[in-house]
Amino acid sequence: AGKTSVANLLLRFVTPDSGTITAGGVALDAIDIVRWRAVVSWVPQRPHLFAGSVAENIGMADVHATRTQIEAAAQAAHAHAFIEALPAGYDTPLGEQGARLSGGQLQRIALARAFLKNAPILILDEPTSWLDAQSEAAIADALERLMSGRTVLVIAHRLALVTRADQVVVMDRGRAVAAGAHQALL
């Protein structure tokens, strides 16, 4: 439907063929890309992990973060318990794509990065897509806390994530076909 394309445009991974995207009334392409990305946190549908430890993978969201801050972010994302159970805890080495982790664990690492970055703009692209119902329920409050006080774009098929949104936009074949509060759209 074009939902992830919208995120890619906002993240400036691609540029629009026509038209202008604005943020706060300023054309997005007029904002320095490094400055823009510093204020945006992104939790992708399929998070990427890099060769390095669990702590390093979370810490890449803020290279100046202390170990205490990294662990606090993991706790906020409900990742701390499974990380502590790994052979070397936060020092456990992960290969590219985190082969030893489940999809839900990968997603929680990505959420921990977002907590650590603490950016005012948050883009969540299917943040619970890898989670079973039990895991999704376990991190629902983490997502609520992460979204609090931020401008948030939630891309989701699961309605549970959008029911409290101020504005819901329904996409179909690359076009916004309806917009409004969740209750009104029902």
Side-chain angles (χ1 to χ4, degrees), residues 35-59:
R35 198 169 136 230
W36 174 248
R37 288 188 180 154
V39 298
V40 177
S41 198
W42 174 47
V43 178
Q45 186 172 1
R46 289 179 171 46
H48 185 83
L49 294 187
F50 299 89
S53 71
V54 173
E56 290 168 334
N57 268 280
I58 296 171

Side-chain angles (χ1 to χ4, degrees), residues 74 91 130 182:
D91 296 317
W130 290 98
H182 178 268

Side-chain angles (χ1 to χ4, degrees), residues 56-173:
E56 290 168 334
N57 268 280
I58 296 171
M60 67 183 11
D62 179 354
V63 296
H64 303 293
T66 65
R67 180 62 166 257
T68 301
Q69 291 169 317
I70 289 169
E71 290 182 16
Q75 287 175 341
H78 294 277
H80 180 75
F82 86 77
I83 293 169
E84 283 288 300
L86 293 172
Y90 284 85
D91 296 317
T92 301
L94 300 174
E96 291 276 328
Q97 297 301 324
R100 63 173 66 185
L101 301 179
S102 72
Q105 291 170 329
L106 288 170
Q107 206 70 3
R108 291 178 202 189
I109 296 278
L111 285 170
R113 285 178 184 159
F115 271 106
L116 185 63
K117 187 170 183 180
N118 198 25
I121 301 170
L122 177 63
I123 298 174
L124 300 170
D125 189 353
E126 298 283 358
T128 60
S129 64
W130 290 98
L131 304 178
D132 57 36
Q134 182 179 5
S135 296
E136 182 179 4
I139 67 162
D141 70 318
L143 285 170
E144 285 291 323
R145 283 183 283 125
L146 181 59
M147 293 187 293
S148 179
R150 291 174 170 66
T151 298
V152 183
L153 171 66
V154 178
I155 298 168
H157 284 97
R158 296 181 184 180
L159 290 179
L161 291 175
V162 298
T163 57
R164 294 178 34 174
D166 295 327
Q167 178 86 350
V168 176
V169 178
V170 179
M171 303 281 297
D172 185 31
R173 295 183 193 117

